[in-house]
Amino acid sequence: MSTSTLDHAHDHDHAHDHPHGLSRWLFATNHKDIGTLYLWFSFIMLLSGGVLALMIRTELFKPGLQFFQPEFFNQLTTMHGLVMVFGAIMPAFVGFANWMIPLQVGASDMAFARMNNFSFWLLPPAAILLATSFLVPGGATAAGWTLYAPLSTQMGPGMDMAIFAMHLMGASSIMGSINIIVTILNMRAPGMTLMKMPMFCWTWLITAYLLIAVMPVLAGAITMTLTDRHFGTSFFNAAGGGDPVMYQHIFWFFGHPEVYIMILPAFGIVSQILPAFARKQLFGYASMVYATASIAILSFIVWAHHMFTTGMPVTSQLFFMYATMLIAVPTGVKVFNWIATMWKGSMTFETPMLFAVGFIFVFTIGGFTGLILAVTPIDIQLQDTYYVVAHFHYVLVAGSLFALFAGFYYWSPKWTGHMYNEAMGKTHFWLSLITFNITFFPMHFLGLAGMPRRYADYSAQFTDFNMIATIGAFGFGLSQVFFLFFVILPTIRGGKKAADKPWDGAEGLEWTVPSPAPFHTFETPPQFK
């Protein structure tokens, strides 16, 4: 392998055997190529899941059944959830991890390059399984993305396809996590202690441990469902001595840490971007690390706040209520530290900074509605209404997705060597922020008025807010198409060459104080040059 190839890509063993065309991607062991594959896969899944969401919103534009039967409508809501959670948001963050963690810790590649390739290539078959489940008898599963028993034990073969797809995606997540943990713990450059790592590495290290802890729990829940369906067991079948509520306990023991798996890497990205554009160090680095770890640990003791209406004892309700409120403390520490980082900073508002500040604003709204839902008597009223839908979309769309956009705008000059069009980026931000709020803010009112989720029809008094939400949803969807055609593709194809440090003295401002380097906080060690 020539020196120039090594310099160019830090390529691992076999990447140079397949330098051209399709085989370059099929056999990629280079962390950058695999990161790119993850990002493209997740963007395709984002658009697919978005189409399902727009079908849902189209049906809900007016009361009455317009386009879809309730059974198919429920298949849409289920598949929208599964595709977005396991196909869009999680792989996107793994793509970021693959691209940035070796660069940030000074490693030549991820620890296990071929396992990295395998963990990606498990995802497309899983996506195909989910997509084709619409075509089998009975269609895709309509049990909701949570796949609650006893519904999930009664569905057609689409349910089995969903279970198999989730097993594949879970295996992929576990392998990716092992890779990330070993890379961070064993391959840091000399002198980079754990407490000197960039925040993105910290949040991913903690996330990877969460994934390894909870993915097998999900695998257990869906395997028990599978044996209930086909092998005569009665784990969740009350008639055979089983307990359907036990499914919820097992699922949410996975499901609640999963929510933090989808937001912690976002915290890491935002914690990298704010200091760069405020031209200050991150306020309270150590407290950010401890807050992230506390959130991860506490996420294991709050699962039953999803189950206040299942008839649990008042003692349990109180415990889960207080434990859930406790999570607001480390989260509040993070928000305080972000604001303190910006305080009196020399801020400029390029697109990454806009998305990062937008993230703090909308994520905080989502956090507050979560705190409201933690209060048991309130939750019993609002359970399974559109208030809950509004809450988790504020956290996952305006939280995870906005952070992913911020990270793309921040790091794409490094990835592509080209600068995106700033005017187009800002347009994408304002379109996304405004249409997102038009879509999901009215849902708080729908929920408070009592509109249940996962229904294809509704009473006439909910019409106005549903119409507003549907118009907003199409605007939000079109904003992401705009992002593809006016930001991503032009940036990849070319455009202005990116500077070596694209964010130093942004907007042509010169700083006497040296700004923190956005990508590397240290010199690359000589053996990796």
Side-chain angles (χ1 to χ4, degrees), residues 204-258:
W204 244 118
L205 178 64
I206 291 166
T207 303
Y209 276 113
L210 276 180
L211 273 165
I212 289 175
V214 301
M215 272 307 178
V217 178
L218 173 68
I222 56 181
T223 305
M224 289 152 87
T225 306
L226 196 71
T227 59
D228 272 13
R229 288 167 56 78
H230 297 294
F231 301 108
T233 57
S234 292
F235 292 112
F236 310 130
N237 178 5
D243 181 4
V245 176
M246 181 174 75
Y247 176 88
Q248 295 189 32
H249 279 290
I250 301 169
F251 179 87
W252 285 116
F253 189 78
F254 145 82
H256 204 80
E258 163 69 20

Side-chain angles (χ1 to χ4, degrees), residues 83-285:
V83 164
M84 288 306 204
V85 170
F86 296 103
I89 291 182
M90 290 170 69
F93 281 129
V94 179
F96 273 76
N98 264 295
W99 251 105
M100 295 314 300
I101 285 175
L103 299 181
Q104 288 187 332
V105 300
S108 58
D109 204 307
M110 296 293 276
F112 306 111
R114 294 171 190 205
M115 184 167 83
N116 207 10
N117 174 290
F118 186 46
S119 72
F120 171 76
W121 285 109
L122 283 177
L123 292 177
I128 291 164
L129 273 170
L130 282 178
T132 51
S133 68
F134 277 110
L135 307 175
V136 298
T141 175
W145 84 274
T146 52
L147 310 177
Y148 275 5
L151 262 180
S152 53
T153 53
Q154 298 162 10
M155 296 283 158
M159 181 73 207
D160 302 313
M161 295 170 81
I163 287 173
F164 191 40
M166 288 168 81
H167 272 304
L168 288 176
M169 293 186 283
S172 164
S173 288
I174 289 170
M175 284 192 282
S177 299
I178 291 169
N179 224 333
I180 287 165
I181 290 172
V182 176
T183 305
I184 291 176
L185 294 186
N186 287 359
M187 298 177 71
R188 298 193 306 285
M192 174 171 276
T193 62
L194 284 175
M195 290 309 275
K196 284 183 183 169
M197 286 197 308
M199 272 308 296
F200 181 65
C201 297
W202 259 118
T203 54
W204 244 118
L205 178 64
I206 291 166
T207 303
Y209 276 113
L210 276 180
L211 273 165
I212 289 175
V214 301
M215 272 307 178
V217 178
L218 173 68
I222 56 181
T223 305
M224 289 152 87
T225 306
L226 196 71
T227 59
D228 272 13
R229 288 167 56 78
H230 297 294
F231 301 108
T233 57
S234 292
F235 292 112
F236 310 130
N237 178 5
D243 181 4
V245 176
M246 181 174 75
Y247 176 88
Q248 295 189 32
H249 279 290
I250 301 169
F251 179 87
W252 285 116
F253 189 78
F254 145 82
H256 204 80
E258 163 69 20
V259 175
Y260 293 96
I261 286 163
M262 290 190 282
I263 201 68
L264 291 182
F267 290 168
I269 292 173
V270 170
S271 301
Q272 301 277 124
I273 292 172
L274 292 175
F277 291 93
R279 276 117 193 131
K280 280 174 64 190
Q281 277 194 311
L282 182 69
F283 180 91
Y285 173 91

Side-chain angles (χ1 to χ4, degrees), residues 386-430:
Y386 268 81
Y387 191 89
V388 179
V389 178
H391 155 67
F392 67 72
H393 281 87
Y394 263 83
V395 176
L396 288 179
V397 182
S400 305
L401 191 63
F402 275 25
L404 286 163
F405 289 148
F408 171 81
Y409 284 108
Y410 184 49
W411 282 316
S412 64
K414 184 160 192 65
W415 298 344
T416 62
H418 300 292
M419 207 60 197
Y420 65 88
N421 182 317
E422 188 63 56
M424 293 296 147
K426 286 181 172 167
T427 307
H428 173 227
F429 167 73
W430 287 111

Side-chain angles (χ1 to χ4, degrees), residues 32 36 40 43 49 61 84 108 147 156 184-185 237 251 261 282 306 331 338 365 385 397 435 440 469 483:
K32 299 175 179 180
T36 305
W40 271 116
F43 193 71
F61 185 68
M84 288 306 204
S108 58
L147 310 177
I184 291 176
L185 294 186
N237 178 5
F251 179 87
I261 286 163
L282 182 69
H306 296 269
T331 315
W338 289 327
I365 295 176
T385 68
V397 182
T435 53
F440 292 105
F483 175 53

Side-chain angles (χ1 to χ4, degrees), residues 365-389:
I365 295 176
F368 274 127
T369 54
L371 203 54
I372 289 164
L373 289 167
V375 183
T376 311
I378 299 179
D379 184 74
I380 287 169
Q381 296 300 314
L382 295 178
Q383 155 96 4
D384 261 338
T385 68
Y386 268 81
Y387 191 89
V388 179
V389 178

